[in-house]
Amino acid sequence: MRKKGIVAVLTAAALAASMTTAVSAAEESAGTSYKIGFAQCTLASPFYVSMKDVAEEYAKELGVELTVVSADDDVTKQNNDINDMLTSGIDALIVNPINAEGIAPAIEACTKAEIPVITVDRNINEGYTAYVGRDNEEMGRLVGEALVEHLGGKEEASGKILEIQGTAGDTVMMARRDGFEAAVAEAPGLEVIQSAYCDYTRSKAVTATQDLLQSNDGIVAVYGHNDDMALGASQVLQEKGVEGVAVCGVDGLMEAVMAINDGSYAITTMNDPGSLIKAALDTSLKILNGEEYEEYVDAGTGVIDSSNVADYVDESLAFAAMK
């Protein structure tokens, strides 16, 4: 009896060890053994705040230990943030870079440490393992084309468009500018007046719009490189009693979608930040687990205007969800 008891104990111990190994393997597959750093460019606009919130929630679902830091639009701080995370020990880095070149020193350090770099929303020139984003030039082009039609078509549209710009040197800003201006250039009667750089923040867009309105008349439209800035411009127009100006932007911010629904905003294109960061985390785990992954993940986009806005109104969301 005693011998049988010893065998039973040993068998139970072996079974427990086997179960522990299985659980550990399952946890590793789900990502619990991984530490991932997320270097966000700023938290000064709803888009970036929403991305951070979704990242933290989704990381918990995946069992990933996620560290999120914000550079507050300071390139030096973003380099330091990344180096600090490397020192503390991470398995992968997700970064929304302030611009394409500014964080090259930190990316080089990641390369030397053999840490995969997944860029999200904005890309860098070199050193990244994968990029998750959207075609920002296409987003700008779609807004430009829709606006030209809104203003009467290529032959009839005329007047000045105030373009409220994002961050200097930012690839997203340049792409949204280039796509929009290429589309608007098809209408010879339209003239684009660019603002100072407003870093995608509403308060700066308010000031820039006030300055531009003082020195320009014949304004028929405002285009913001994101909806938050465009809504700031819309606020100025309303305060000054300027009517008949078509306001449009990019991102599908629900506040803008609601404004389209009530007729005070014209056009936006979808850029749901939640789907971007989820795809970035999924891609990170594929890389770390040695699975196949796409070097470029295009999250897609689409126009929202008065013709389809009813399909996207959802006050429970911060941004319109892709259909």
Side-chain angles (χ1 to χ4, degrees):
M1 290 292 294
R2 187 175 179 184
K3 187 174 182 181
K4 287 183 180 179
I6 293 172
V7 171
V9 170
L10 291 174
T11 301
L15 180 61
S18 175
M19 291 178 64
T20 300
T21 301
V23 170
S24 297
E27 288 180 346
E28 182 172 351
S29 176
T32 50
S33 63
Y34 296 127
K35 295 181 179 180
I36 297 177
F38 177 26
Q40 180 64 289
C41 56
T42 182
L43 294 176
S45 82
F47 182 88
Y48 301 119
V49 173
S50 181
M51 185 177 285
K52 169 185 173 293
D53 292 344
V54 172
E56 292 173 337
E57 181 180 344
Y58 192 52
K60 289 179 182 177
E61 292 180 25
L62 295 173
V64 169
E65 184 179 332
L66 184 71
T67 300
V68 183
V69 292
S70 170
D72 304 326
D73 279 322
D74 183 331
V75 171
T76 300
K77 185 176 186 304
Q78 190 160 56
N79 275 291
N80 291 337
D81 286 343
I82 294 170
N83 283 317
D84 287 345
M85 286 190 288
L86 286 175
T87 300
S88 66
I90 55 173
D91 298 298
L93 172 71
I94 298 174
V95 57
N96 190 345
I98 292 173
N99 61 52
E101 299 177 354
I103 60 168
I107 299 304
E108 184 177 352
C110 289
T111 301
K112 290 180 178 178
E114 299 184 345
I115 300 299
V117 175
I118 299 86
T119 52
V120 63
D121 183 40
R122 310 173 184 182
N123 205 1
I124 55 180
N125 293 332
E126 58 184 2
Y128 62 95
T129 310
Y131 166 51
V132 178
R134 291 187 167 97
D135 188 337
N136 284 283
E137 189 166 342
E138 174 71 357
M139 283 191 245
R141 183 186 67 78
L142 288 171
V143 174
E145 290 179 346
L147 179 59
V148 169
E149 289 304 308
H150 181 88
L151 296 174
K154 296 177 182 179
E155 303 302 323
E156 300 296 327
S158 64
K160 295 179 181 178
I161 300 172
L162 302 185
E163 181 176 9
I164 312 300
Q165 300 191 98
T167 300
D170 168 29
T171 55
V172 170
M173 178 281 296
M174 292 185 284
R176 293 181 180 183
R177 175 199 65 199
D178 294 348
F180 177 81
E181 292 184 2
V184 169
E186 296 292 316
L190 293 173
E191 178 186 1
V192 176
I193 309 296
Q194 293 180 331
S195 75
Y197 296 110
C198 298
D199 298 323
Y200 302 104
T201 59
R202 189 176 304 201
S203 60
K204 292 183 179 181
V206 166
T207 301
T209 304
Q210 291 170 336
D211 293 341
L212 289 172
L213 286 178
Q214 289 178 356
S215 54
N216 292 280
D217 53 15
I219 305 300
V220 296
V222 171
Y223 166 58
H225 289 174
N226 73 349
D227 286 320
D228 202 39
M229 294 192 299
L231 286 164
S234 180
Q235 173 189 325
V236 175
L237 294 171
Q238 292 174 23
E239 290 173 351
K240 293 186 175 296
V242 179
E243 299 180 348
V245 175
V247 181
C248 49
V250 176
D251 283 345
L253 182 66
M254 189 52 63
E255 186 180 350
V257 174
M258 298 295 290
I260 293 173
N261 197 47
D262 68 27
S264 61
Y265 204 88
I267 304 154
T268 187
T269 48
M270 287 175 282
N271 186 28
D272 173 21
S275 61
L276 281 175
I277 193 61
K278 284 184 176 181
L281 282 163
D282 288 340
T283 300
S284 300
L285 289 183
K286 286 180 181 179
I287 294 168
L288 292 171
N289 288 327
E291 301 170 12
E292 290 187 7
Y293 64 93
E294 297 178 11
E295 291 185 8
Y296 171 51
V297 179
D298 185 349
T301 188
V303 171
I304 300 176
D305 59 16
S306 60
S307 69
N308 65 351
V309 66
D311 296 332
Y312 295 96
V313 172
D314 186 342
E315 294 185 58
S316 69
L317 300 176
F319 290 83
M322 292 289 295
K323 301 292 185 180

